[in-house]
Amino acid sequence: MNKSLSGIGMTSQRTRARLIERLREQGIRDETVLAAMFEVPRHLFVDEALASRAYDDVSLPINFNQTISQPYIVARMLEVLRGGGPLGRVLEIGTGCGYQAAVLAQVAREVFTLERIQPLYERARKQLRELKIRNVAVRYADGNLGLPEAGLFDGIIMAAAAPSLSAVLREQLAVGGRMVVPVGAQEQWLYLVERDAAGFRETRLEPVKFVPLLIGKA
Ligand code: SAH
């Protein structure tokens, strides 16, 4: 667990504890993920005007027509990404405000996160730096390309819906790696892609609702 967060957001601990209870009721079982979500002060990632709603289980606007994901879906995706085991290097596509990256930082050794909207990228970087989260590298880049120069990843997670499962991205998975991605347009489904020595296995999990994965930098 990332020591740097202890002491930050003490006042919101009770509200966060209630959020964790709700996540449990919704079926999240991974204690490592629940502990990480308890640790990260979500209210610091949204505008002050919305801070009072930061621990409601809803997605909230973060400017530029983007949203901070609903806590349930963050918890669910991280639970699937972990698959019950520890995570080494993880690539996140769609940093947004950086909340999910901050949670990932608690459960993975090293996190790379990509954002295509420059002001969001800058804000997320600043926020993560202020929280002294040091195992996240934020990049201003088009996530469609992944981050091949960083080597292979044990986990890849996408916070925006792609039109189809990306072959480019799955090639950046290490053997034993897992990728969790929302796929589709009007109707979206969460997919798990696992890579083993023999190849890739895809599993369709549940219906979801994400902003679309766009192309190029903005
Ligand atoms: N992870 C965020 C959710 C961000 S919403 C959280 O913690 O709440 C999805 C984000 O994906 C948006 O910020 C959007 O700008 C970004 N995005 C969409 N297409 C992208 C692309 N091709 N490359 C990188 N980021 C992208």
Side-chain angles (χ1 to χ4, degrees), residues 66-69 92 94-97 99-100 114-117 120 141-144 159-160 211-214:
Q66 302 303 324
T67 53
I68 177 171
S69 302
E92 178 191 45
T95 316
C97 60
Y99 171 70
Q100 180 170 272
L114 312 180
E115 174 56 56
R116 67 180 288 277
I117 299 180
L120 286 179
D142 179 0
N144 283 289
V211 296
L213 182 77
L214 300 177

Side-chain angles (χ1 to χ4, degrees), residues 105-182:
Q106 316 300 310
V107 304
R109 194 176 68 242
E110 198 180 5
V111 179
F112 297 82
T113 180
L114 312 180
E115 174 56 56
R116 67 180 288 277
I117 299 180
Q118 191 162 18
L120 286 179
Y121 148 79
E122 278 164 7
R123 222 187 123 202
R125 242 174 78 134
K126 181 162 172 276
Q127 187 60 65
L128 292 165
R129 201 185 311 127
E130 278 170 14
L131 290 174
K132 300 193 166 50
I133 295 174
R134 301 192 205 282
N135 57 335
V136 179
V138 191
R139 301 275 175 87
Y140 171 47
D142 179 0
N144 283 289
L145 309 174
L147 198 60
E149 63 270 32
L152 298 177
F153 296 98
D154 305 302
I156 298 179
I157 185 166
M158 205 186 266
S164 60
L165 271 173
S166 160
V168 171
L169 289 177
R170 70 180 202 178
E171 289 302 332
Q172 294 176 33
L173 275 179
V175 169
R178 299 159 73 82
M179 175 162 88
V180 183
V181 283

Side-chain angles (χ1 to χ4, degrees), residues 2 7 12 56 61 75 89 105 135 143 155 177-178 181 184 186 191 215:
N2 193 322
S12 55
D56 294 352
R89 292 155 49 81
N135 57 335
R178 299 159 73 82
V181 283
Q186 301 300 57
Y191 277 83
I215 294 172

